[in-house]
Amino acid sequence: MRSPIRGLTSSDGEEGSDRTPLLQSTPRVEAAPACCSARYNLAVLAFFGFFVLYALRVNLSVALVDMVDSNTTLADNRTSKECAEHSAPIKVLHNQTGKRYQWDAETQGWILGSFFYGYIITQIPGGYIASKVGGKLLLGFGILGTAVFTLFTPIAADFGVGALIVLRALEGLGEGVTFPAMHAMWSSWAPPLERSKLLSISYAGAQLGTVISLPLSGIICFYMNWTYVFYLFGIVGIIWFILWIFLVSETPETHKTISRHEKEYILSSLKNQLSSQKSVPWMPMLKSLPLWAIVVAHFSYNWTFYTLLTLLPTYMKEILRFNVQENGLLSALPYFGCWLCMILSGQAADNLRAKWNFSTICVRRVFSLIGMIGPAVFLVAAGFIGCDYSLAVAFLTISTTLGGFCSSGFSINHLDIAPSYAGILLGITNTFATIPGMVGPVIAKSLTPDNTIREWQIVFYIAAAINVFGAIFFTLFAKGEVQNWALDDRHGHRS
C-alpha cells in the first residue's frame, strides 16, 4: 500500500509513477462516467470481437469428431483399462449428411496444430504495424480474414488434408495480429486506473466464446451437419466486422460522438505516459528485465493453460474413460468460470488501486501469483484423484477459473511499463507464449507411451513446475511504472 497523495514528485519512484495519470503541472480531470461512454462501448465491441475470434478457433475441435470416419480412429485407440467405463452409449446422430474423411490420429493432430504455425508468425509484426498505423483496421481485418477462411473450411477439406492445414495456418495468421492490435488501441483509450476493468471486459469475450461455441458446435453437428458449424460462425464474424468498422474510432480524438468531458479525462490521464518518438527503441526494449518477466510468466501460464485445454480432456477420456464431449455443460463449465473470474478480478484490481491505494506492481504480482500457482496446485491434484471423474471436472473447473486472475496480472502489465509500445510488447510475449501450444501436446504424448495414471502424473508435474517458476520470476522482476526507454525527451523528469 502507499500514500493517497499521487504523483506530486518525480522522486516517488515506482510507488508514485505507477499510479500517476497526470503531469505535475496538469490539473486532474474528474473521471468520466462509465455508463454509455465511448471507452466502455469499445470494450463491449471488443468483447464480442474476441468472442467471435475464439469461436472460430475452437469450433474445429468439435466438428472434427464428425468430419472423421470413426472406423479410422479405432486402430489409434489408446484407452486405458485402469478405470471403469463412465461414458454413456454413443448416440446416433440425427443428421449424418456431412462428408467423412479417412484421417488417422496423427493427421488430425497436424490439422489442429496447424493454426499455431500461422498464429506465431504475425504476433510481433502485428504489434509493430499497430504501433505505426493503429489497431482498429488491423484487428477488424484480422477477424474478418479468419471468418472468411472459416467459410471455406468445407471446401478445403474436400480438396484434401493439405489444403485444410494451409487454411488453418492462414486463419492463425489472421488471429495472430488481434491481441497486439487491441493492446495498441487500449494504449490510447484506457485510463491507467481503469485498465484492469476495460481490458478484462474485452478479453473475457474469448472465454465466453469458448463457453458458447463448444456446446453450440455439438448441437449443430447433431441436428444439422458439421459444415454448418463453419458457415454459422463465419457469417457472425462478418457481421461483427461491419459493426466494428462503423462504430469504433482509432483514438478518442477521432471519435465523433465522445463527450468532451470523457475525451479530456482520457487524454489527460495518459499525457505523461505516451511517447511521441517515431522509432521503436528495440534494443532497450529487448534488454528490459520487466519485459522478460512478462515473457516468462506468459510462457509459463500458457503451458498450463494448454495442458488444461487439450490434455486434461484427453486424460479424462483415455484414463478416466469419461468423454467430456458428451456433456456440453461440463466441457464449457471451466471456461465459464474463467470468464466470470476475469470480469470480477478486473473490477477488484482497479478498486484496489483507485480506492485502497495499492500500487500497480503490488496488484499485478498478487493477481499473477493467484492465477498461476492456483492452477498448478489443482493440476497436480488432478493426477491423484484415481478414477473419480466428477472430481476431475471440479479440479479442471477450479484450475481454469483461478487462471482468470492473470488477466489483471501479467497479461496487461505491458500497458503499465510501456503503453506506447504495448502492442509490440504483447506481440513479443505472445510469440513465446504460443510455443507451449505447439510443443506441449507433443511432449505429453512422448511421456505417456503406455497411457497410465503414473505417466500422466509426470505430465502434470512438469506443467505445474513451469507455472510456479513463471509466477516466482514475474514476482521478482516485474515493474509497475512506465520504463525510461518507453518515454521520449519531453518527460525529462523520467529520463
Side-chain angles (χ1 to χ4, degrees):
M1 295 179 66
R2 61 179 296 278
S3 168
I5 304 300
R6 305 177 188 176
L8 294 181
T9 66
S10 60
S11 61
D12 286 342
E14 178 181 310
E15 292 294 324
S17 58
D18 68 3
R19 294 286 315 284
T20 306
L22 308 178
L23 283 172
Q24 298 171 7
S25 59
T26 307
R28 180 179 179 181
V29 178
E30 190 68 27
C35 182
C36 302
S37 64
R39 65 192 187 281
Y40 277 89
N41 288 342
L42 173 61
V44 171
L45 277 169
F47 171 91
F48 285 109
F50 286 99
F51 176 99
V52 172
L53 199 69
Y54 264 63
L56 296 171
R57 181 188 293 199
V58 305
N59 58 8
L60 179 63
S61 62
V62 178
L64 193 62
V65 176
D66 290 333
M67 295 171 68
V68 177
D69 188 343
S70 58
N71 294 325
T72 307
T73 58
L74 291 179
D76 300 309
N77 190 356
R78 299 195 307 148
T79 302
S80 172
K81 302 299 181 183
E82 291 184 81
C83 298
E85 179 68 62
H86 292 297
S87 299
I90 299 175
K91 299 177 182 179
V92 178
L93 297 178
H94 289 183
N95 191 318
Q96 301 186 54
T97 58
K99 189 174 180 180
R100 302 296 179 92
Y101 304 96
Q102 305 294 320
W103 296 334
D104 59 21
E106 183 178 357
T107 301
Q108 294 175 53
W110 277 103
I111 293 172
L112 292 172
S114 58
F115 171 89
F116 292 104
Y117 291 96
Y119 188 69
I120 196 172
I121 292 174
T122 51
Q123 294 290 329
I124 296 176
Y128 179 77
I129 295 172
S131 71
K132 295 298 183 181
V133 302
K136 174 187 173 180
L137 292 180
L138 193 62
L139 175 62
F141 282 106
I143 296 181
L144 176 66
T146 305
V148 171
F149 286 132
T150 298
L151 291 173
F152 286 99
T153 301
I155 298 176
D158 269 345
F159 272 104
V161 65
L164 183 57
I165 288 175
V166 171
L167 185 76
R168 285 291 293 178
L170 290 173
E171 289 185 29
L173 288 174
E175 288 203 17
V177 305
T178 53
F179 282 94
M182 192 71 249
H183 250 47
M185 286 195 71
W186 281 128
S187 69
S188 300
W189 274 99
L193 294 180
E194 293 186 10
R195 280 176 184 157
S196 301
K197 287 183 283 193
L198 290 168
L199 271 75
S200 62
I201 290 172
S202 57
Y203 293 142
Q207 303 300 328
L208 195 62
T210 304
V211 170
I212 301 298
S213 63
L214 283 176
L216 182 58
S217 296
I219 292 171
I220 293 172
C221 289
F222 188 82
Y223 288 103
M224 302 169 75
N225 69 55
W226 62 264
T227 61
Y228 289 97
V229 171
F230 303 105
Y231 295 148
L232 172 66
F233 290 118
I235 292 172
V236 170
I238 293 173
I239 293 173
W240 173 87
F241 170 78
I242 296 172
L243 295 174
W244 177 260
I245 290 298
F246 284 102
L247 298 178
V248 168
S249 296
E250 187 69 56
T251 63
E253 296 97 321
T254 58
H255 199 285
K256 296 180 179 179
T257 60
I258 189 173
S259 69
R260 181 180 178 182
H261 181 202
E262 183 182 8
K263 183 188 295 185
E264 290 179 353
Y265 165 60
I266 295 173
L267 296 180
S268 64
S269 68
L270 296 171
K271 194 170 184 180
N272 72 328
Q273 298 209 352
L274 299 178
S275 170
S276 62
Q277 56 185 332
K278 301 298 182 182
S279 60
V280 178
W282 288 107
M283 289 308 297
M285 180 186 296
L286 294 177
K287 291 179 181 178
S288 175
L289 190 56
L291 169 61
W292 288 103
I294 305 174
V295 169
V296 173
H298 204 167
F299 176 93
S300 303
Y301 172 81
N302 270 22
W303 190 288
T304 301
F305 175 80
Y306 286 121
T307 298
L308 292 170
L309 183 67
T310 60
L311 300 183
L312 261 183
T314 303
Y315 175 80
M316 293 170 67
K317 179 181 179 181
E318 297 178 351
I319 299 294
L320 304 181
R321 304 179 72 184
F322 172 77
N323 191 350
V324 295
Q325 288 184 337
E326 294 174 3
N327 192 318
L329 176 62
L330 291 181
S331 62
L333 189 60
Y335 304 102
F336 178 79
C338 187
W339 169 75
L340 189 62
C341 183
M342 288 178 69
I343 298 295
L344 295 178
S345 65
Q347 298 288 326
D350 281 343
N351 282 336
L352 286 173
R353 297 171 65 215
K355 296 182 179 180
W356 293 87
N357 297 313
F358 278 80
S359 67
T360 300
I361 189 56
C362 177
V363 173
R364 301 293 180 243
R365 286 169 176 167
V366 170
F367 278 58
S368 295
L369 284 170
I370 297 173
M372 297 179 72
I373 293 181
V377 170
F378 285 96
L379 187 60
V380 170
F384 293 90
I385 59 175
C387 296
D388 190 343
Y389 73 86
S390 60
L391 199 56
V393 173
F395 285 164
L396 171 61
T397 301
I398 295 172
S399 296
T400 311
T401 298
L402 290 176
F405 277 93
C406 286
S407 65
S408 296
F410 73 83
S411 290
I412 63 174
N413 193 224
H414 317 74
L415 281 160
D416 298 324
I417 66 172
S420 294
Y421 308 105
I424 297 176
L425 297 192
L426 182 62
I428 293 172
T429 65
N430 214 18
T431 296
F432 285 95
T434 302
I435 296 174
M438 301 166 65
V439 304
V442 176
I443 293 176
K445 187 175 182 180
S446 66
L447 291 174
T448 56
D450 300 320
N451 219 27
T452 64
I453 292 178
R454 185 171 296 275
E455 290 174 345
W456 278 90
Q457 287 174 349
I458 297 174
V459 173
F460 298 152
Y461 273 137
I462 292 173
I466 292 173
N467 222 34
V468 171
F469 172 77
I472 295 173
F473 192 92
F474 181 81
T475 300
L476 292 176
F477 301 111
K479 297 293 182 183
E481 77 275 11
V482 181
Q483 299 299 289
N484 290 336
W485 52 264
L487 292 167
D488 57 28
D489 293 337
R490 291 181 305 128
H491 307 298
H493 63 289
R494 293 293 312 280
S495 56

